[in-house]
Amino acid sequence: MENQKENLLERVSNVLRKRGEETEWIASSSDITQRTGIAFVPCGTFTPVSLLYTVNEKPETLVIDVLFATKVPEARRVEVSIILSQLNADQTAGAFQLDAHSGYVYYRQSFVTEGLELNDQQFAQLMRNIEAVAVETAESYAHLMENEYPK
C-alpha cells in the first residue's frame, strides 16, 4: 500500500513540475526518507496561502490542505474552533481545521481516487479542479480570519 501512496504523490509531483511549480517534498518525522506529502506556494492567489498534497490509503484519497498565513492567538483558539465548526456546517466539499498546537488555520479537501483510471491529462485537470475549489473556498473566508484573528 505504501507503494501506491508514493506512486500517487509522484504523479502529483510530475503534474506540478510540468506546470512549473516549485515544490518541496515533506517527509515523515520518524523516517526522513519516507515522503509523505508535497508542498508548494501557488502563484496568482489573492490571499497568501500554501498548498500541501498528501494521500490517505483506504480508500486511496488525494488530500489537499490550503494553509493560511494567519495564526490564531492561543487565547482565542477555542473560540475560533467553534466558529470554524459553524462554518463547516455550510461546506459540502471540505472543512476548515485549526491546528491546536501552532494556531494555523487550513482548509482541507479530499477526493477519492481509488479505482479511477485517469490518463495524465485527466489527472492534471482533476488536480486543477481540486485546487480551484479549495483555494476559492479558503479565499472566500480569508477576510474573516485576517480581520477577526490577526497575528
Side-chain angles (χ1 to χ4, degrees), residues 25-36:
W25 280 96
I26 306 301
S28 168
S29 60
S30 60
D31 178 4
I32 60 170
T33 64
Q34 183 183 8
R35 300 183 301 183
T36 59

Side-chain angles (χ1 to χ4, degrees), residues 8-106:
L8 187 55
L9 285 175
E10 192 63 49
R11 200 166 184 197
V12 167
S13 176
N14 289 339
V15 169
L16 294 173
R17 193 172 38 249
K18 285 180 183 175
R19 285 192 340 212
E21 302 284 2
E22 292 185 33
T23 63
E24 180 179 336
W25 280 96
I26 306 301
S28 168
S29 60
S30 60
D31 178 4
I32 60 170
T33 64
Q34 183 183 8
R35 300 183 301 183
T36 59
I38 302 170
F40 71 104
V41 176
C43 298
T45 59
F46 177 73
T47 304
V49 295
S50 61
L51 302 179
L52 172 65
Y53 274 105
T54 56
V55 173
N56 289 339
E57 294 177 357
K58 292 193 184 225
E60 184 183 73
T61 305
L62 188 58
V63 179
I64 185 168
D65 291 336
V66 181
L67 297 108
F68 291 88
T70 303
K71 185 174 181 178
V72 177
E74 190 170 351
R76 301 196 67 192
R77 292 182 189 164
V78 171
E79 174 188 1
V80 172
S81 293
I82 293 168
I83 292 169
L84 292 178
S85 179
Q86 292 168 342
L87 289 176
N88 286 338
D90 294 331
Q91 302 304 314
T92 57
F96 288 94
Q97 308 283 325
L98 171 66
D99 184 304
H101 299 290
S102 70
Y104 286 105
V105 175
Y106 60 98

Side-chain angles (χ1 to χ4, degrees), residues 90-130:
D90 294 331
Q91 302 304 314
T92 57
F96 288 94
Q97 308 283 325
L98 171 66
D99 184 304
H101 299 290
S102 70
Y104 286 105
V105 175
Y106 60 98
Y107 180 77
R108 175 171 282 175
Q109 182 179 335
S110 59
F111 190 88
V112 176
T113 57
E114 189 167 307
L116 292 180
E117 299 290 331
L118 301 175
N119 64 34
D120 290 344
Q121 183 179 0
Q122 291 168 325
F123 187 77
Q125 187 60 51
L126 171 68
M127 284 179 55
R128 283 254 188 233
N129 293 347
I130 291 170

